Amino acid sequence: MSLLEVTDLRVSFPTADGIVQAVRGVSFAVERGRTLGIVGESGSGKTVLTQSLLGLTPGGQISGTAVFDGVNLVGLEPKSMQRIRGKDIAVIFQDPLTSLHPLYKVGWQITEMIRAHDKSVSKKQAMERAVELLGHVGIPRPRERVNDYPHQFSGGMRQRVMIAMAISLSPKLIVADEPTTALDATVQAQIIDLLLRLQRESNTALMMITHDLGVVADIADEVMVMYAGRAAEKASKRDIFYQPHHPYTKGLLESIPRSSAAAERLKPITGQPPSLIRLPSGCAFHPRCAYVMDRCLTDQPELVPVAEAGEHRSACWLPAAATGLSDDVEELRRRTVEMGRTDEAAKVAEKIAAAPESEGSVIA
Ligand code: SF4
């Protein structure tokens, strides 16, 4: 059984302008010792999704189930949630300064964390553990630095302190929400190495929430791509990077800056993510999609297997091989027609063939 099994999770927020549908029926699982990368632009629902699992979405209306180690987190009373959060599920946020109290020494903050969940640990024992943890996450001279305040650490070092706090109670699951976004590339790589090492040592499961596919390439085993509150594609890292199916995933991959292609222009995904109050009909990605077909405007695709075997799933009406072949229109036409979706397939191929190269969307 998976450590965390989320089924049909929905989160919405009533506002004066209407209901914000932040998460719209998402299902996934996280296994012990594995890393699930959750990727998407701002507003895709990835952060609300994880915060709702941790009881951090006040005012949110939540339905579905999220069974963690045998306990359904949805609807869990605050006291029980507090016991799980921090001890069994630890969280690392993007900006450690918002999580670390500026007026308390880091050693004190780590010892408080430990003692809040285990009163049998003395202050002295907890402080020894804090020193050990700081050393473990690569803080030099931990016995001295344990008495420093957060502002006396660099951004990367503060993130290490947050990781030390996160692992202080040996959690079963670590949720890392954009933990490297505020860091430069070198420190980012060090933090990712650290997370991977800690995960290997303790078989902890990791959920990495990020907008950065480069981070996912470094750390994830499985990837879920989110768009407008739903899972657009879910697959192994290999399939996401080498055989993406959903046009949104493909757009994200094409917009990654590559050092080997300095002279090449980036290919951003045209348009903006939709309002979560007034979502487009049918497939929410259709206003930005280069492959849009008539049925995309009216019918919402479900997340279904791309091939008969395997775990690769995509929420898109296109046939399995279509999006990977966008550069070769004849091949796309041949394959899609062969797959029996003649009318729509022919239309897609026509539209792609007719669109000027610079045009982002070929919707009529
Ligand atoms: Fe959505 Fe249609 Fe584009 Fe697939 S082809 S992503 S269903 S608009």
Side-chain angles (χ1 to χ4, degrees):
M1 191 184 173
S2 305
L3 178 64
L4 173 66
E5 247 179 78
V6 175
T7 308
D8 197 24
L9 191 76
R10 293 169 191 271
V11 186
S12 58
F13 299 90
T15 70
D17 292 331
I19 295 174
V20 178
Q21 299 173 62
V23 179
R24 302 185 296 133
V26 175
S27 303
F28 63 91
V30 186
E31 311 295 335
R32 288 173 176 81
R34 309 278 293 177
T35 299
L36 173 70
I38 302 184
V39 196
E41 295 164 288
S42 297
S44 60
K46 56 192 191 307
T47 292
V48 173
L49 166 73
T50 46
Q51 291 191 343
S52 67
L53 299 178
L54 298 163
L56 298 174
T57 46
Q61 295 175 344
I62 308 175
S63 65
T65 59
V67 179
F68 171 77
D69 212 17
V71 177
N72 186 5
L73 302 176
V74 175
L76 200 62
E77 58 173 65
K79 273 205 165 163
S80 306
M81 180 60 88
Q82 261 173 20
R83 272 199 294 276
I84 291 178
R85 197 171 57 220
K87 172 142 182 34
D88 294 322
I89 306 178
V91 194
I92 305 168
F93 291 109
Q94 176 178 341
D95 181 3
L97 273 184
T98 58
S99 306
L100 292 168
H101 198 299
L103 299 181
Y104 292 97
K105 295 171 179 175
V106 299
W108 185 88
Q109 298 189 51
I110 299 174
T111 57
E112 278 301 293
M113 175 87 175
I114 294 169
R115 283 168 45 77
H117 288 275
D118 188 354
K119 295 273 186 263
S120 69
V121 180
S122 71
K123 283 189 180 169
K124 194 166 171 230
Q125 285 170 327
M127 188 55 84
E128 271 310 304
R129 177 90 177 116
V131 172
E132 191 188 308
L133 285 163
L134 289 181
H136 200 54
V137 298
I139 303 281
R141 298 176 286 108
R143 200 163 289 282
E144 291 168 41
R145 303 292 325 253
V146 79
N147 290 315
D148 284 346
Y149 291 92
H151 72 267
Q152 294 174 285
F153 290 84
S154 66
M157 286 291 169
R158 276 197 292 268
Q159 201 53 290
R160 285 175 190 266
V161 172
M162 275 306 300
I163 293 171
M165 282 180 83
I167 62 169
S168 62
L169 296 159
S170 308
K172 294 170 183 155
L173 171 67
I174 295 177
V175 176
D177 190 352
E178 305 270 10
T180 59
T181 301
L183 306 174
D184 65 47
T186 312
V187 181
Q188 186 171 314
Q190 290 169 357
I191 295 293
I192 285 171
D193 281 350
L194 173 61
L195 285 170
L196 284 171
R197 173 168 67 81
L198 296 172
Q199 187 186 36
R200 269 197 306 275
E201 287 169 0
S202 54
N203 203 35
T204 311
L206 182 60
M207 269 170 74
M208 172 66 78
I209 292 91
T210 179
H211 67 281
D212 186 343
L213 274 168
V215 170
V216 165
D218 283 333
I219 204 164
D221 298 301
E222 287 84 34
V223 182
M224 178 165 76
V225 179
M226 284 192 69
Y227 187 79
R230 285 171 68 85
E233 188 158 8
K234 209 163 62 166
S236 67
K237 176 169 70 179
R238 185 177 171 76
D239 281 348
I240 288 289
F241 278 85
Y242 291 104
Q243 294 183 310
H245 176 261
H246 200 285
Y248 179 57
T249 310
K250 195 161 176 282
L252 290 177
L253 288 166
E254 285 177 347
S255 57
I256 298 176
R258 279 163 296 165
S259 54
S260 60
E264 249 180 55
R265 287 181 62 190
L266 285 180
K267 291 186 192 163
I269 305 172
T270 54
Q272 299 291 325
S275 155
L276 296 175
I277 296 180
R278 278 169 283 279
L279 286 155
S281 59
C283 171
F285 188 59
H286 84 245
R288 306 172 75 187
C289 182
Y291 301 86
V292 66
M293 304 172 274
D294 289 346
R295 72 181 304 186
C296 306
L297 312 185
T298 50
D299 302 348
Q300 179 170 268
E302 295 301 324
L303 194 70
V304 294
V306 168
E308 272 178 27
E311 291 299 310
H312 189 168
R313 289 169 176 262
S314 174
C316 173
W317 293 120
L318 285 170
T323 54
L325 296 166
S326 62
D327 292 334
D328 186 336
V329 175
E330 278 313 308
E331 178 69 0
L332 171 66
R333 190 200 304 267
R334 187 181 67 73
R335 291 220 188 179
T336 47
V337 170
E338 266 175 16
M339 290 172 117
R341 304 175 65 148
T342 46
D343 286 346
E344 287 178 350
K347 268 194 219 165
V348 177
E350 302 289 352
K351 284 182 176 180
I352 292 169
E357 265 186 28
S358 59
E359 196 172 308
S361 172
V362 292
I363 185 168

